[in-house]
Amino acid sequence: MPINRISFFRIGKQILIFWLLLIITPASFALGESSWLANSGSNQFTLVDKTSATALIIDDNDFPGVQRATKNLQSDIEKVTGKKPALVNTINENNHQLVIIGSIGKSRLIEQMIANKKLDVSKIRGQWDGFLVQVVEQPLPNVKRALVIAGADKRGTTYGIYSLSEQIGVSPWYWWADVPVKKKNTIFINKKIQVTEIPKVKYRGIFLNDEAPALTGWVTEQYGNYNHLFYEKVFELLLRLKANFLWPAMWNNAFADDDPQNMVLADEYGIVMSTSHHEPMMRADKEWNRHGKGPWEYSKNPQNLYNFWVDGVKRNKPYESIYTLGMRGQQDEPMSEGDNIQLLEKIVHDQREILTDQFGKEKLTEVPQVWALYKEVQGFYERGMRVPDDVILLWCDDNWGNIRRLPTPEERKRVGGAGVYYHFDYVGGPRSYRWINTVSIAKIWEQMNLAYEYEANKIWIVNVGDLKPMEYPIEFFLNMAWNPEAWPKERIPEFATLWAEREFGKEHAKEIAAIMTGYTRHNLRRKPELQDATIYSQLNYAEADRVTAEIESYAARAEALYKKIPVEQRDAFYQLVLFPAKASAIITGLYDAQAKNHLYAQQARATANDYANKVRELFAADAALEQEYHQLNGGKWNHFMSQPHIGYSNWNNPPEDTLPVVQIYEPHGADEMGIAVEGIASAWPGAGTYQLGRFDPFGKQERTLTIFNKGKKSFTATAQSSVPWIILNHTSIQVNAETELKVSINWNKVPKGEHTGRIQITGTGWGGASIGVKAFNPGIKTSALKGKGFVEADGFIAIEAEHFQRQNTVALASGNKLRWEKIPEHGRTLSSISVYPVTDQHFTKADDAPYVEYDIFTLGSGEFNVQGFFAPSWPVIPGHGLRYAIAIDNELPQVVDLTADMSNATWEETARTDVRTARTSHKINTAGAHKVRIYGLDPGVTLQKIVIDTGGLLPSYLGPEESRRY
């Protein structure tokens, strides 16, 4: 369906699904699904009663992978109830109730029910990976009632089996994250259960990558190598998550060459294997090192490479595979031959020739093939290179979770279709990030929803690094891949709660969800590897203190919950919740302490050394936390947190974590006064002008002077104001190390207009400090501001994007309306807004586009700058930018292309900060009420925050907190 003709029916269906799921999910153990369970056995299907479990029956002719999954179901039921069901392949007179499991075309039992019209499989027959589950009365002779799990293929049946496991209380992460099963004495299935599921994205999977030292260290210790014993654990996890696709670990390994059983068992389980974006024709990169002859250059060594690829196809021909076409340099570098499109076209031609020779000309278009348009390869496509129509085009993100390109309307007509290669982990510039989860599910939703709406739905694969500790985003990504329409943006907050409830129970689910959302948002703002002492402002808006306190509060909440939850849940809770929250807090606290150490040493504060000690303590705490993780569950997860993450000096990680540099200040033995003024890096008595930020009635009502000791001997300081409207919380101050003096204003005594006063502070030595104080009284009563919107204070107006006062929608020919809508939890501070539904509609005139409007009130007039904070998206459809327009009051809208500058330096900054910023200048002639209007001209423009500089905006990373709205 072309995206610019999204039907009213489809939008209506999404809304209906959303509301139905809201109604039915509270009792669910499976994420996003209604519960299959009944509260009692009264006239329901009894899976397990007080004495026994109902037998499972599967045709011995069914797929081996389905047979294995059925045995796992048998084990799962026993884990939950303590009762092990019989596993049989024939019916006897005692089987009044059965769980009948089978694949269409492979199971005689399923075929018999179909023939006797006891089972209608018309909705899933021939549907890739589809399955159904339902209770059937008298399905077969001598069987009164059966719970039937039927699949359209081997994976479909397996998904149905594992869906039942999840429903009864077995998390997909029962092994990989030690999530305990939910114990029950009895299990009853609602006799009215009717489940039919077919995935929306065909190939859904993960890429194990950048796997040394963590995953490789663990695998070597546990299994010796990346052999089938390891991969069986991965295959089962993928199937429990309804995935079907894998790019295997490849840094120092070769999946099919390391262990011949790897490929055999992958196919048996039902996992479609491929090789990564730079490994052609089912040959791993390291296989060339082992078996190749000559250079990895097709222009110089075509015959050896050709033969190498022939062997790969011959080896994998019996198994379900996707063949990667094209070629990059070894170790994922650009080709040494450079920008040679003709050569690359020749390579693809020859690779297709190999596939034709091995599979036959008539089968060529049925062999799944993919061309990954990664990095410079996308440039080949943009300059005109093409591959045959049946090849899947795999579009890629920028390695930082921002999709670079998606199919145009014309490209959506290609038979091969398109997919997306996404990242939760990356080795490369501007800096590698590999340690812990730094991706919010809201960001995943915002980007992958674009992919789905633009019909990039053949492959969704994500680089997950070591797999652990990416459990949470992996599950969201794969859940969304199964059915994006079941997860509209309004359900983003619900996912975390459902996930927490399934893993840890309902009692603490909302609190756990808040922690997961909080720490992932924090890490997305600035990944731990990118943090340092300079990121969050120590001087303005108390930013560093606020950010540090926020992440430390999440860690503290996780610590408190850890003590409350049942002992058997603690290993899982530690891995999934406590460790990432606590690790994130330690890193942020460490760099906050380093920043304070540097600032205070510069100011010659005696307390500088306290923060040097704190840096050392937090560095040690980080190392201790790593060891604590490695000792979990008897050392089961040893090595998984061994990735260095402190002390980066370039794009690559240091060989070991490195203690940040601290400064030591040696205080003398006497007393000596120093004064630090809020917002100023230097300190009195150093040279400079010392003045507090201007006060006004609507801004910050208390500012701080810190009187500190440069020596070791305590002293007493006195403070006196020059005017009656300056309020001091102390006039006599005892100072040992340092003491804060709070300054506020008595507005009843400030005449209208701007006024200046001073605070005189005397202490040690001769003379004293004279600190300036400014206050501006606009003469406006609060009551007069009601309904005026966001009011200027402290020289700025800051607005979170979702808090618009009104909006204008644009009608589409389909009957839908383009409108700005909220993406909950998306962005660095609160949420975001973007235009939905996603279409191909672009606007040349701002007045024709949908807009939102914000009411503001300025205390003055002049030339004001407006800074917009937007998601760091790319213009995913060529020929268009990422444009918005802005106007204040009745001025002509200014059109801004967020991606006008796509230089590497600009991209690196957007990657580091996870935001695009744009500035416009506006002339406001009068103080008072005004309207700011933001227009969406291109799809994908996602606004997070607006900050209007009215003359007092100060530098900070996140911008100031939202202004007061009246």
Side-chain angles (χ1 to χ4, degrees):
M1 180 188 300
I3 199 67
N4 56 342
R5 296 200 300 270
I6 294 178
S7 68
F8 180 78
F9 172 75
R10 177 171 174 180
I11 301 299
K13 182 174 74 171
Q14 289 180 350
I15 295 170
L16 178 61
I17 289 171
F18 167 57
W19 284 111
L20 285 175
L21 288 170
L22 280 182
I23 294 169
I24 62 180
T25 48
S28 173
F29 288 103
L31 300 189
E33 297 178 359
S34 58
S35 176
W36 302 359
L37 306 183
N39 293 326
S40 70
S42 177
N43 201 29
Q44 306 294 346
F45 179 83
T46 301
L47 184 62
V48 181
D49 62 19
K50 293 180 180 180
T51 59
S52 62
T54 296
L56 314 177
I57 185 168
I58 181 169
D59 193 320
D60 56 11
N61 188 53
D62 216 318
F63 296 103
V66 173
Q67 308 238 17
R68 180 181 281 105
T70 303
K71 290 177 182 177
N72 287 344
L73 175 61
Q74 180 189 37
S75 175
D76 290 347
I77 293 171
E78 185 179 21
K79 289 173 188 172
V80 172
T81 66
K83 306 176 187 72
K84 186 176 182 178
L87 179 55
V88 300
N89 51 38
T90 58
I91 299 172
N92 62 46
E93 63 275 8
N94 296 320
N95 296 137
H96 299 301
Q97 285 202 143
L98 285 172
V99 177
I100 302 175
I101 298 168
S103 308
I104 298 172
K106 292 289 286 185
S107 168
R108 291 182 291 264
L109 300 169
I110 297 298
E111 293 301 317
Q112 186 177 346
M113 284 188 284
I114 295 170
N116 294 336
K117 301 191 183 311
K118 291 292 185 177
L119 187 66
D120 181 2
V121 297
S122 59
K123 290 183 179 179
I124 66 166
R125 187 186 290 276
Q127 296 294 323
W128 177 268
D129 289 1
F131 70 90
L132 62 80
V133 179
Q134 66 184 76
V135 174
V136 179
E137 303 293 335
Q138 298 179 331
L140 295 166
N142 299 320
V143 180
K144 181 180 178 181
R145 178 181 288 171
L147 176 66
V148 178
I149 300 173
D153 53 25
K154 58 187 171 185
R155 280 182 298 275
T157 312
T158 301
Y159 296 146
I161 292 167
Y162 286 138
S163 293
L164 177 58
S165 287
E166 188 177 356
Q167 285 280 340
I168 66 174
V170 180
S171 167
W173 300 99
Y174 80 95
W175 191 87
W176 276 98
D178 301 316
V179 178
V181 301
K182 306 295 189 298
K183 300 289 188 180
K184 300 178 180 69
N185 292 322
T186 59
I187 302 174
F188 305 107
I189 307 296
N190 189 324
K191 69 174 184 179
K192 295 182 179 179
I193 184 72
Q194 293 270 351
V195 174
T196 302
E197 293 196 37
I198 302 164
K200 303 291 186 182
V201 176
K202 187 170 186 179
Y203 298 103
R204 311 164 305 282
I206 64 173
F207 178 21
L208 299 177
N209 193 219
D210 310 329
E211 61 270 22
L215 180 61
T216 295
W218 178 79
V219 167
T220 302
E221 182 176 291
Q222 296 288 329
Y223 301 101
N225 197 3
Y226 284 90
N227 55 36
H228 72 277
L229 298 175
F230 161 71
Y231 275 111
E232 282 185 309
K233 295 295 187 184
V234 178
F235 299 155
E236 182 187 329
L237 173 68
L238 290 174
L239 292 169
R240 286 181 182 267
L241 293 171
K242 293 182 184 172
N244 62 3
F245 188 50
L246 179 66
W247 284 355
M250 44 66 65
W251 260 26
N252 294 298
N253 290 87
F255 180 78
D257 198 54
D258 289 342
D259 182 350
Q261 283 298 300
N262 282 347
M263 196 69 245
V264 174
L265 287 173
D267 191 69
E268 185 176 297
Y269 272 82
I271 300 300
V272 181
M273 294 302 303
S274 188
T275 41
S276 70
H277 55 285
H278 69 101
E279 299 177 297
M281 304 297 280
M282 295 304 297
R283 297 307 299 261
D285 180 80
K286 292 300 176 281
E287 288 190 78
W288 182 254
N289 296 344
R290 299 174 188 178
H291 308 297
K293 298 176 182 178
W296 180 263
E297 296 180 29
Y298 208 72
S299 58
K300 297 178 181 178
N301 194 24
Q303 192 58 54
N304 283 330
L305 281 162
Y306 190 98
N307 294 339
F308 177 72
W309 292 335
V310 168
D311 291 343
V313 177
K314 285 181 177 178
R315 178 183 64 196
N316 285 80
K317 184 178 177 181
Y319 311 119
E320 209 172 357
S321 310
I322 299 180
Y323 291 86
T324 299
L325 303 183
M327 187 176 183
R328 294 191 84 217
Q330 275 203 286
Q331 298 183 330
D332 204 14
E333 293 292 330
M335 287 197 307
S336 58
E337 291 97 339
D339 189 6
N340 190 335
I341 291 177
Q342 285 186 325
L343 176 62
L344 194 55
E345 289 175 334
K346 167 67 173 168
I347 290 168
V348 172
H349 172 273
D350 290 356
Q351 290 167 342
R352 297 268 290 184
E353 182 179 81
I354 293 168
L355 293 172
T356 300
D357 291 344
Q358 296 302 315
F359 288 95
K361 185 175 182 180
E362 71 284 355
K363 295 285 187 180
L364 177 62
T365 59
E366 299 174 15
V367 177
Q369 301 156 62
V370 64
W371 185 34
L373 300 167
Y374 183 72
K375 288 191 175 180
E376 80 286 346
V377 181
Q378 181 180 323
F380 298 163
Y381 184 90
E382 304 293 6
R383 290 192 293 277
M385 180 180 169
R386 292 295 181 267
V387 293
D389 197 57
D390 58 282
V391 176
I392 301 167
L393 297 181
L394 189 67
W395 300 103
C396 304
D397 68 357
D398 60 358
N399 302 305
W400 290 73
N402 309 297
I403 298 172
R404 299 172 66 194
R405 173 81 146 75
L406 288 169
T408 64
E410 191 61 29
E411 289 164 345
R412 288 169 219 155
K413 299 174 184 177
R414 295 182 70 260
V415 174
V420 170
Y421 169 35
Y422 202 70
H423 285 76
F424 296 164
D425 163 287
Y426 180 59
V427 171
R431 189 163 288 179
S432 301
Y433 61 98
R434 305 167 56 191
W435 175 45
I436 59 175
N437 177 31
T438 62
V439 183
S440 75
I441 64 171
K443 172 155 184 148
I444 297 168
W445 184 92
E446 183 257 340
Q447 286 291 294
M448 298 312 296
N449 177 68
L450 288 173
Y452 181 65
E453 295 294 357
Y454 287 128
E455 299 182 31
N457 55 15
K458 283 295 177 70
I459 297 175
W460 283 14
I461 187 157
V462 58
N463 184 331
V464 301
D466 302 311
L467 195 152
K468 295 178 71 66
M470 304 298 179
E471 300 96 336
Y472 182 62
I474 286 171
E475 181 146 15
F476 182 80
F477 182 91
L478 294 176
N479 245 279
M480 190 174 174
W482 180 263
N483 184 7
E485 294 176 26
W487 293 103
K489 59 187 178 302
E490 292 80 5
R491 294 195 76 197
I492 293 171
E494 186 188 0
F495 182 88
T497 303
L498 290 173
W499 175 85
E501 184 177 340
R502 186 195 66 193
E503 307 300 52
F504 304 109
K506 193 169 186 177
E507 182 180 0
H508 304 299
K510 289 190 181 299
E511 177 71 349
I512 292 170
I515 294 166
M516 300 302 290
T517 301
Y519 99 76
T520 53
R521 183 201 293 276
H522 172 84
N523 285 344
L524 189 60
R525 288 170 176 163
R526 192 80 180 191
K527 298 181 187 298
E529 294 88 342
L530 280 158
Q531 289 191 43
D532 60 47
T534 67
I535 302 304
Y536 296 110
S537 177
Q538 294 289 329
L539 301 175
N540 302 323
Y541 310 122
E543 182 177 62
D545 292 343
R546 285 191 294 106
V547 169
T548 303
E550 180 186 51
I551 187 59
E552 287 179 346
S553 75
Y554 289 122
R557 290 160 71 177
E559 290 267 26
L561 278 183
Y562 182 78
K563 297 173 183 177
K564 293 179 181 179
I565 64 172
V567 172
E568 63 270 17
Q569 292 181 347
R570 288 183 180 174
D571 279 356
F573 185 86
Y574 188 94
Q575 295 166 60
L576 298 173
V577 185
L578 178 56
F579 178 88
K582 195 171 179 180
S584 304
I586 287 174
I587 292 298
T588 303
L590 180 146
Y591 288 119
D592 180 49
Q594 185 194 21
K596 287 179 168 59
N597 165 255
H598 289 185
L599 177 62
Y600 296 173
Q602 172 190 325
Q603 294 175 341
R605 293 199 207 188
T607 54
N609 294 343
D610 295 341
Y611 288 95
N613 291 335
K614 187 173 182 181
V615 169
R616 297 187 188 99
E617 290 167 3
L618 288 170
F619 185 76
D622 175 83
L625 195 68
E626 176 184 324
Q627 292 307 309
E628 196 170 60
Y629 192 104
H630 290 164
Q631 291 163 12
L632 281 175
N633 200 357
K636 180 179 178 181
W637 304 116
N638 190 28
H639 300 290
F640 260 105
M641 287 303 130
S642 57
Q643 171 62 41
H645 49 277
I646 303 173
Y648 278 73
S649 58
N650 54 56
W651 68 267
N652 201 15
N653 59 265
E656 290 187 358
D657 289 325
T658 307
L659 179 71
V661 174
V662 295
Q663 298 178 12
I664 302 302
Y665 170 73
E666 292 294 345
H668 52 67
D671 56 354
E672 183 180 1
M673 183 174 73
I675 301 173
V677 179
E678 179 182 306
I680 300 176
S682 61
W684 182 91
T689 300
Y690 294 99
Q691 180 173 289
L692 287 168
R694 189 184 78 167
F695 288 89
D696 64 59
F698 311 111
K700 188 173 183 180
Q701 294 302 295
E702 187 175 76
R703 301 188 188 275
T704 303
L705 301 173
T706 303
I707 303 172
F708 61 85
N709 200 341
K710 302 173 76 171
K712 296 178 180 178
K713 186 178 179 181
S714 64
F715 64 90
T716 300
T718 60
Q720 186 176 3
S721 62
S722 65
V723 290
W725 45 264
I726 298 177
I727 302 172
L728 306 177
N729 70 330
H730 296 293
T731 54
S732 179
I733 305 106
Q734 179 66 32
V735 181
N736 296 316
E738 60 184 41
T739 304
E740 290 185 344
L741 177 63
K742 299 294 184 182
V743 182
S744 57
I745 304 297
N746 184 342
W747 290 106
N748 293 326
K749 295 182 179 181
V750 182
K752 184 177 179 180
E754 188 167 296
H755 302 274
T756 302
R758 305 200 73 79
I759 302 169
Q760 187 69 31
I761 303 174
T762 57
T764 61
W766 58 273
S770 180
I771 311 298
V773 179
K774 281 187 177 182
F776 173 59
N777 184 355
I780 301 171
K781 294 183 178 180
T782 302
S783 58
L785 295 174
K786 187 175 182 181
K788 302 296 185 183
F790 294 92
V791 174
E792 175 190 348
D794 297 333
F796 67 85
I797 302 172
I799 306 170
E800 294 290 349
E802 72 168 77
H803 292 151
F804 53 86
Q805 272 70 36
R806 64 196 66 85
Q807 71 165 300
N808 181 62
T809 62
V810 173
L812 297 171
S814 63
N816 295 314
K817 290 183 177 180
L818 288 175
R819 55 186 293 124
W820 289 85
E821 296 179 2
K822 181 173 78 169
I823 309 172
E825 300 175 355
H826 184 271
R828 304 195 308 173
T829 48
L830 179 64
S831 63
S832 299
I833 60 172
S834 193
V835 175
Y836 294 98
V838 175
T839 71
D840 288 309
Q841 181 71 57
H842 299 264
F843 294 93
T844 55
K845 293 183 179 179
D847 290 341
D848 296 334
Y851 65 76
V852 286
E853 204 166 66
Y854 301 87
D855 292 335
I856 64 170
F857 191 95
T858 64
L859 303 181
S861 59
E863 192 83 16
F864 295 160
N865 291 322
V866 179
Q867 184 175 10
F869 293 76
F870 295 83
S873 306
W874 288 59
V876 294
I877 301 299
H880 297 279
L882 209 60
R883 299 168 305 133
Y884 75 99
I886 180 172
I888 296 181
D889 296 333
N890 295 319
E891 70 176 348
L892 186 69
Q894 298 181 45
V895 176
V896 181
D897 185 353
L898 293 166
T899 54
D901 178 5
M902 292 294 283
S903 65
N904 190 63
T906 297
W907 169 77
E908 285 195 349
E909 187 59 17
T910 64
R912 292 186 193 100
T913 58
D914 198 58
V915 74
R916 289 192 191 275
T917 57
R919 289 176 174 83
T920 53
S921 182
H922 305 262
K923 179 70 173 177
I924 293 182
N925 294 319
T926 60
H930 303 277
K931 289 178 171 52
V932 179
R933 190 177 284 181
I934 306 286
Y935 305 82
L937 304 184
D938 292 316
V941 173
T942 303
L943 176 65
Q944 299 180 1
K945 188 173 184 175
I946 303 164
V947 179
I948 304 169
D949 182 1
T950 60
L953 184 66
L954 301 170
S956 65
Y957 184 75
L958 298 173
E961 293 183 280
E962 188 172 41
S963 301
R964 190 181 304 177
R965 178 171 50 174
Y966 289 85

